[in-house]
Amino acid sequence: MKLTKTVILKLTSRDKELDRTVSKYTKGMNYVSGVVYKNNKPISVNKLQKMTYKHLRNRIGLKSQMSCNIVRQVCGTYKSLMAKVRKKKAEWQMITYKPNNITYSFRRDFTINKDWVSMTTLKGRRRYPIANYEYVKRYFDGAWKYSASKLVLHRDKSYYFHLCIEKDIQEPDTAPTTDIIGVDVGINYIAVASTTDRKNVFFSGGEAKNIRNIYSKQRKRLQSKGTRSAKRMLKHLTMREKRFMTATNHVVSKGVVEFAKTHRIPIIGMENLSGIRETTKVRKERRYQHNSWAFRQLRGFIEYKAKEQGIRVVYVNPRYTSQACSRCGHVEKANRNGLRFSCKACGYELNADLNGARNIGYKTRDFRQDLESQGCLSATHTETEKSEFQATSSNPSGFSSGS
Ligand SMILES: [Zn+2]
């Protein structure tokens, strides 16, 4: 299985040469684009190379490798345009490129380490220092391969190197197992994880809940004002909250995956919330969080970090995960009483988020057994991730009894 990622690195210094190279490169792109446009249909890479190489090299003064990259890039863009034209989703048109990026091939025109990136400019190779963030260092440990990457001029007028990296990782273990972690992304706790043999971990996310409430109140106040300065403040507030939640989500997702890794658990189950509004009535206090990007982001982070460790993520139907008893399977709205879960049938009591996490764990196990019985376990990673478990057993909640 291949894991790919784009790491964005800020160049801490720049020079005129970089601007000049980007500008000429774009000139080349637009020249080649004009040639294809006039042809009224895409041209093959080889043919286009022959048609434009001399002009790119001698007239515009681009390096040989750059000229090749330009042709390949423009070819690709027109091919996808043509595909849209055939589906009547676009018209044949001239594609114009803005002077804000260059595509580089690894080794042929860039090399990189944690301190600098060396790139081809019109005056040959030059080295530019990159901001040395702590988290970036691990991408230079020798385990990652670098592929075609981009130098991009961002809106802040700084250059960033968009380094594309990949590595082969171990396929998730598909031996029969009941070792599963159910993760509930909750209200009281940002996340609760519970293993099949009932080891639990709660992630409160520190001050996250309080801070989000404060932000939410401030936002309401500003929204009702509606003045221009209130709008500006609102934007500022939103950005700050986003940064805060992203940082929290990184910490929580890392914790969940480390928990799985420590207990050598190969599967994490989470709720599939994409179709939630159609399939279930979400409790009012949960709606905000379910619809919010922060919770989607958290699930995304968990999925990504799990994949990095060769841990599989399975999404299950969220129906009744908060109302069903994780011991006896009894479903009743009144089972859930705020922070506590207290079963009206068997009297079982526990933290409501933990009850949810356990239910998700059971569903994940059922889902897995379903796959096994259908002989689908060879299904690729992505297919498994996309499929959604629907409760089909005679038990209306779709749960097996807990123990
Ligand atoms: Zn019960």
Side-chain angles (χ1 to χ4, degrees):
M1 194 162 67
K2 255 202 178 81
L3 189 70
T4 59
K5 198 178 172 91
T6 303
V7 186
I8 295 174
L9 305 161
K10 185 173 184 169
L11 268 57
T12 51
S13 88
R14 59 191 284 181
D15 56 13
K16 284 265 158 59
E17 205 43 40
L18 221 47
D19 296 331
R20 207 167 72 92
T21 307
V22 171
S23 149
K24 291 260 175 168
Y25 186 92
T26 311
K27 206 171 164 191
M29 294 282 285
N30 285 324
Y31 166 73
V32 175
S33 178
V35 171
V36 183
Y37 171 69
K38 278 178 211 142
N39 189 56
N40 285 318
K41 60 174 194 227
I43 303 172
S44 78
V45 173
N46 284 341
K47 201 173 162 199
L48 190 59
Q49 193 113 313
K50 282 186 192 123
M51 290 164 78
T52 58
Y53 190 74
K54 267 192 186 151
H55 185 98
L56 292 173
R57 294 278 280 143
N58 305 337
R59 290 285 185 84
I60 302 181
L62 288 162
K63 298 279 174 191
S64 158
Q65 185 59 42
M66 282 181 174
S67 309
C68 298
N69 287 350
I70 286 173
V71 168
R72 222 173 296 130
Q73 218 179 323
V74 175
C75 255
T77 321
Y78 276 97
K79 256 188 206 154
S80 33
L81 173 64
M82 197 60 190
K84 280 186 196 152
V85 171
R86 289 212 178 94
K87 285 183 192 158
K88 300 214 161 33
K89 281 184 177 164
E91 281 176 20
W92 185 255
Q93 57 192 282
M94 167 83 184
I95 292 163
T96 313
Y97 297 89
K98 282 189 188 139
N100 56 15
N101 74 84
I102 299 183
T103 301
Y104 281 121
S105 320
F106 181 58
R107 287 214 182 85
R108 268 175 265 156
D109 44 22
F110 87 86
T111 51
I112 192 163
N113 68 21
K114 67 178 175 41
D115 301 311
W116 48 256
V117 54
S118 154
M119 294 174 281
T120 308
T121 68
L122 298 177
K123 287 202 174 139
R125 281 290 185 109
R126 286 200 176 179
R127 262 186 206 181
Y128 298 90
I130 52 180
N132 207 337
Y133 300 118
E134 197 54 37
Y135 80 92
V136 158
K137 284 182 186 157
R138 61 192 166 114
Y139 300 120
F140 298 100
D141 62 0
W144 295 87
K145 276 187 228 148
Y146 308 129
S147 47
S149 300
K150 272 183 178 204
L151 174 73
V152 182
L153 182 65
H154 281 201
R155 280 212 194 131
D156 67 358
K157 304 284 176 216
S158 302
Y159 281 106
Y160 289 80
F161 198 75
H162 292 205
L163 177 65
C164 293
I165 59 177
E166 57 180 50
K167 81 171 163 188
D168 287 317
I169 53 167
Q170 224 185 330
E171 286 288 336
D173 180 16
T174 50
T177 176
T178 51
D179 293 334
I180 281 164
I181 285 183
V183 177
D184 191 16
V185 173
I187 336 163
N188 310 312
Y189 292 92
I190 290 198
V192 175
S194 178
T195 66
T196 322
D197 56 353
R198 309 211 155 178
K199 292 186 194 82
N200 314 313
V201 61
F202 293 78
F203 299 92
S204 65
E207 282 293 286
K209 201 184 159 195
N210 289 340
I211 289 179
R212 294 201 84 195
N213 281 340
I214 294 167
Y215 279 135
S216 157
K217 273 183 198 141
Q218 283 180 331
R219 209 171 15 239
K220 264 188 203 134
R221 212 184 54 228
L222 290 168
Q223 269 161 353
S224 66
K225 267 192 181 171
T227 61
R228 199 187 291 176
S229 79
K231 273 180 192 156
R232 208 166 39 232
M233 274 299 293
L234 201 62
K235 202 175 163 190
H236 182 71
L237 198 69
T238 311
M239 292 299 288
R240 223 167 53 188
E241 187 182 3
K242 278 200 169 181
R243 275 198 301 272
F244 172 76
M245 284 311 293
T246 300
T248 308
N249 283 344
H250 269 300
V251 173
V252 172
S253 57
K254 198 175 164 202
V256 168
V257 173
E258 265 171 13
F259 178 66
K261 208 181 149 193
T262 313
H263 296 286
R264 298 168 164 273
I265 287 170
I267 299 172
I268 292 177
M270 288 191 283
E271 287 179 300
N272 180 350
L273 298 176
S274 53
I276 185 129
R277 258 175 278 169
E278 289 79 46
T279 55
T280 49
K281 278 200 181 115
V282 183
R283 291 167 59 97
K284 230 181 206 163
E285 71 265 33
R286 293 196 80 155
R287 194 170 290 153
Y288 170 55
Q289 282 134 337
H290 274 157
N291 292 335
S292 137
W293 67 270
F295 282 76
R296 266 198 304 278
Q297 185 192 49
L298 176 60
R299 281 197 305 275
F301 283 178
I302 292 174
E303 182 177 330
Y304 187 86
K305 286 175 181 151
K307 211 171 159 187
E308 253 181 333
Q309 301 295 337
I311 296 167
R312 189 183 284 245
V313 169
V314 172
Y315 288 102
V316 298
N317 191 321
R319 188 176 292 235
Y320 304 127
T321 41
S322 62
Q323 291 176 19
C325 173
S326 62
R327 184 161 81 181
C328 73
H330 173 69
V331 178
E332 192 179 328
K333 220 173 172 181
N335 282 350
R336 171 108 197 216
N337 187 5
L339 308 187
R340 294 299 295 172
F341 183 93
S342 151
C343 181
K344 297 288 171 225
C346 75
Y348 190 43
E349 280 199 21
L350 75 169
N351 174 285
D353 288 340
L354 177 58
N355 183 64
R358 286 200 181 146
N359 283 335
I360 293 165
Y362 297 141
K363 284 192 187 188
T364 309
R365 187 186 63 194
D366 289 352
F367 173 69
R368 205 194 148 73
Q369 281 163 355
D370 259 22
L371 282 185
E372 270 168 10
S373 65
Q374 290 162 22
C376 293
L377 263 186
S378 55
T380 67
H381 201 63
T382 11
E383 276 165 356
T384 316
E385 279 162 5
K386 277 183 193 153
S387 52
E388 185 184 344
F389 171 66
Q390 297 291 339
T392 48
S393 66
S394 53
N395 177 349
S397 68
F399 296 111
S400 335
S401 52
S403 63

